[in-house]
Amino acid sequence: IGNLSLKKFMKRVGFHFLKVLPAYPILAVLISCVFLFLITTFEALGLQLEWLNGPIYYGTLYGPFSVVYWNVKKSFMDDKNTLPTTTGYSACAADNTTVTNQNDMVAPESSGNPRLAAALRRSRGSKTHNNMI
C-alpha cells in the first residue's frame, strides 16, 4: 500500500495538464462569465468593485488549471493502491477490534462519540491486536 513515486505522480499531472490545455480558453471564458454576474451583483449592492480585482485576475488566469488538480486528485482516489490508508478508532468501534498501544488512544470523554468512548474503555484492558494497521 502506498507506492506513489515522483515519476508516477508527475506522469499523471502531465497527462491531466495536457488534457486540460486545449480547453483552457473555454474555461477562462466560463470563469470570466461567472465574474461578470458577480460584478453585476456587487454594482447592484453598491459594493467596491476593487475587491474583485485579485479574484478576477487569479481566477481567470489560474482557475482553469484547478481542473488539473481535481482530475489528478480524482484519479489517485480512484486508484486504491496508490495512496496509503489508515484505520482509525471509529473503525475499531464499528467492528469491535481492539488497540494494543494504549498511549495512542484518546480519552473517551474527549471523543464526543458515546459508542467510540465505550469501545475505547473496553479496549483499555485488552492486549489483542485484530485487523489494525
Side-chain angles (χ1 to χ4, degrees), residues 39-109:
I39 289 169
T40 306
T41 304
F42 267 54
E43 285 178 340
L45 295 174
L47 299 173
Q48 295 178 5
L49 296 179
E50 291 80 20
W51 293 348
L52 294 176
N53 286 344
I56 289 171
Y57 176 76
Y58 291 108
T60 304
L61 187 62
Y62 300 114
F65 293 113
S66 67
V67 175
V68 174
Y69 168 79
W70 292 110
N71 286 343
V72 169
K73 183 177 179 179
K74 183 181 181 318
S75 74
F76 281 121
M77 296 304 290
D78 291 343
D79 186 8
K80 299 293 182 196
N81 295 323
T82 302
L83 300 174
T85 58
T86 60
T87 303
Y89 291 118
S90 59
C92 292
D95 64 1
N96 293 327
T97 58
T98 56
V99 178
T100 56
N101 188 356
Q102 295 176 7
N103 295 330
D104 291 340
M105 291 191 295
V106 296
E109 306 80 40

Side-chain angles (χ1 to χ4, degrees), residues 5-18:
S5 66
L6 180 62
K7 183 178 178 181
K8 185 175 185 178
F9 175 74
M10 291 309 293
K11 211 178 210 183
R12 257 193 226 183
V13 169
F15 171 75
H16 288 289
F17 177 79
L18 292 175

